Amino acid sequence: MLKGKRIILGISGGIAAYKSLILIRLFIKAGAQLRVVTTENALWFVTRVSLESLSQNKIYDKVFGPENDYTTEHISLTDWGDCFIVAPATANIIGKLANGIADDALSTSLIAFNKKIFMAPAMNVKMFDHFSVQRNIQWLKDNNIQIIEPNEGYLACGYEAKGRMEEPESIFNAIENYFSSENKVLAEKKILITAGPTHEAIDPVRYIGNQSSGKMGFAIAAELAKRGAEVILIAGPVQQQTPQGHIKRIDVTSALEMYNAAMDVFPTADAAILNAAVADFRPETASNRKIKKSDNNLQLSLVKNPDILATLGNMKKKNQILVGFALETDNELENARVKLSQKNLDFIVLNSLNDRGAGFGGDSNKITILDNNNAVLKFELKSKTEVAADITDKLVACFSND
Ligand code: PMT
């Protein structure tokens, strides 16, 4: 369930920090990717060496310093993470988040994080019961921060009372449950996807087309169906098998056919992901007889095809999510940004033909996701199946933020 999930673990300065080492092991064993952010005080309780060895990554503990690659790590880190868990969460870090204070690596990262946050408080019972801590916890709960309540039991200060951080296994289960319910987000969703090329007939044997194989779009359809969505897959002429699951496939040939099918489906869809490489132009007239070879040059008059994505962008209702692709060869980010805004998209997936192994035909792709909140997420070269999972995660996050 957590395989490939990107988890940020925040550790603040309390004796329960030793339990976060066990939590790190559980996450790594489950195949999650982990980054650790600590307060300065946390490093009195657990060492940098233990945290870095177990998490297999450098920790982030100072906003400024020569060891930082750059001083906006709290932004790149928080763009990267799928969820943030602070364990243990002291009264201090709870108070900082509840009151918008950002004065160290952990508090700045928390304030920059706009996805799911969990906090597992740990402190002496008198501190936990204090009205200011209770008020801050209530405020965080009201703002969709999930508090993993502490247990009653032996506390480091010698008290037997509430304040012990929940055990690592239970914290791990809470995160796992979150991601499994996140999968349910798609269960009642109808999602339209276009895939493959279009062929624009010149005559009964010739056409204008492109090299799209349909692999990327079919991989997305497979991932959406795997997560329980009802998928309507509008496919251009491709040699792909329809993936398993709740997928209705509509085969089309030309851009006009794809346009008509998309117009039929979109009004009742919750989201649409337009991955097809649609021909921008078609021959003004297609000859119904094979054009004979001659010694003269052949002139073709081309007319513009409708832009399916832009049309859906104009029709889009408030509760619908629209995702486009951008296949670029130069000024990639700039061109993708223009498409994102001009076509009224929630996010756009950029793939560049300048990246080896990306784009048409092959089994891999390298993407960058740009969204309408100006976030830019860059991914490594991955298999199209893994890329489809990254795109689906982003779609789920859009539904969850609605
Ligand atoms: O099929 P594969 O071999 O696996 O390759 C996948 C892919 C490289 C084709 C795919 O990942 C991809 O990039 N698809 C979009 C290709 C494209 O047409 O890009 P574009 O930048 O020209 O178009 C921008 C967006 O507008 C796309 O979402 C496209 O589907 C859409 N569009 C374009 C023209 C048009 N007339 N109607 C559209 O809806």
Side-chain angles (χ1 to χ4, degrees):
M1 184 63 61
L2 291 187
K3 194 163 185 301
K5 293 290 176 213
R6 294 175 293 256
I7 295 171
I8 306 173
L9 172 63
I11 306 176
S12 55
I15 186 67
Y18 78 90
K19 292 189 190 171
S20 51
L21 297 176
I22 304 168
L23 194 52
I24 294 174
R25 294 216 47 180
L26 292 171
F27 284 136
I28 295 287
K29 226 171 127 193
Q33 300 176 54
L34 199 73
R35 298 277 192 282
V36 175
V37 189
T38 72
T39 59
E40 256 180 74
N41 287 340
L43 294 177
W44 288 100
F45 296 93
V46 276
T47 69
R48 178 184 302 276
V49 176
S50 312
L51 295 171
E52 293 188 344
S53 312
L54 288 173
S55 69
Q56 302 162 6
N57 262 303
K58 209 171 75 144
I59 63 168
Y60 176 47
D61 62 319
K62 283 189 193 65
V63 180
F64 303 105
E67 55 288 324
N68 274 0
D69 292 340
Y70 39 84
T71 53
T72 55
E73 202 159 336
H74 55 292
I75 303 299
S76 54
L77 178 76
T78 48
D79 285 344
W80 172 88
D82 295 320
C83 92
F84 204 139
I85 161 80
V86 185
T90 57
N92 188 42
I93 195 69
I94 290 171
K96 281 185 185 176
L97 183 58
N99 291 285
I101 296 168
D103 63 355
D104 64 6
L106 182 53
S107 53
T108 43
S109 302
L110 279 168
I111 284 176
F113 195 73
N114 57 7
K115 288 158 262 177
K116 185 70 180 174
I117 299 178
F118 295 81
M119 288 190 129
M123 65 197 80
N124 169 275
V125 64
K126 289 193 293 178
M127 295 171 76
F128 186 70
D129 284 344
H130 194 271
F131 72 87
S132 61
V133 174
Q134 285 304 315
R135 178 200 58 204
N136 288 339
I137 287 180
Q138 191 53 51
W139 191 94
L140 293 177
K141 284 182 180 168
D142 292 345
N143 284 279
N144 205 24
I145 309 288
Q146 190 165 328
I147 302 293
I148 302 174
E149 292 290 332
N151 288 323
E152 289 199 11
Y154 180 76
L155 303 179
C157 46
Y159 281 57
E160 285 266 338
K162 189 166 179 175
R164 268 173 77 86
M165 186 175 89
E166 180 55 279
E167 293 308 317
E169 290 75 10
S170 305
I171 297 175
F172 175 84
N173 288 343
I175 309 287
E176 226 185 19
N177 285 343
Y178 164 69
F179 282 111
S180 77
S181 65
E182 190 195 32
N183 281 345
K184 290 183 197 128
V185 167
L186 295 182
E188 287 143 32
K189 301 286 189 269
K190 177 171 168 182
I191 300 173
L192 157 67
I193 167 138
T194 65
T198 62
H199 288 177
E200 311 301 319
I202 297 171
D203 69 14
V205 292
R206 303 180 184 92
Y207 58 82
I208 297 173
N210 61 64
Q211 299 173 46
S212 172
S213 63
K215 284 183 184 172
M216 188 68 253
F218 275 61
I220 300 170
E223 182 65 28
L224 291 169
K226 197 170 97 190
R227 299 206 203 176
E230 175 193 349
V231 179
I232 313 291
L233 172 60
I234 304 177
V238 291
Q239 302 297 319
Q240 304 294 328
Q241 297 282 338
T242 310
Q244 298 277 315
H246 194 174
I247 299 178
K248 180 179 170 202
R249 175 171 176 171
I250 303 172
D251 284 311
V252 298
T253 304
S254 66
L256 281 179
E257 286 170 13
M258 189 172 272
Y259 172 85
N260 289 331
M263 295 298 282
D264 275 354
V265 175
F266 188 63
T268 56
D270 297 291
I273 303 179
L274 299 206
N275 174 258
V278 185
D280 289 318
F281 298 94
R282 66 178 185 278
E284 191 170 19
T285 49
S287 164
N288 46 24
R289 295 178 156 266
K290 185 178 171 196
I291 299 171
K292 290 280 173 228
K293 196 155 98 182
S294 89
D295 290 338
N296 298 327
N297 289 338
L298 174 69
Q299 302 277 348
L300 278 180
S301 167
L302 299 179
V303 292
K304 250 183 114 164
N305 273 325
D307 187 322
I308 307 169
L309 185 59
T311 311
L312 300 192
N314 281 331
M315 295 164 63
K316 189 175 88 159
K317 289 185 273 196
K318 210 171 159 277
N319 58 349
Q320 287 181 306
I321 293 170
L322 185 58
V323 180
F325 267 72
L327 181 64
E328 304 292 341
T329 52
D330 38 33
N331 294 331
E332 290 101 329
L333 282 170
E334 208 178 303
N335 289 338
R337 265 194 201 104
V338 170
K339 286 177 186 168
L340 171 72
S341 103
Q342 283 185 348
K343 303 193 186 195
N344 191 24
L345 310 180
D346 292 86
F347 67 92
I348 190 158
V349 183
L350 164 67
N351 38 198
S352 166
L353 289 182
N354 294 323
D355 288 322
R356 248 181 108 95
F360 287 126
D363 291 322
S364 58
N365 204 359
K366 185 166 189 292
I367 61 159
T368 301
I369 294 181
L370 297 91
D371 73 18
N372 57 3
N373 289 318
N374 296 323
V376 178
L377 283 170
K378 291 186 178 205
F379 295 84
E380 300 301 311
L381 183 73
K382 296 183 180 187
S383 69
K384 282 186 174 163
T385 305
E386 290 169 306
V387 170
D390 290 333
I391 294 166
T392 306
D393 286 345
K394 178 70 186 172
L395 182 71
V396 167
C398 289
F399 279 123
S400 307
N401 291 340
D402 252 9

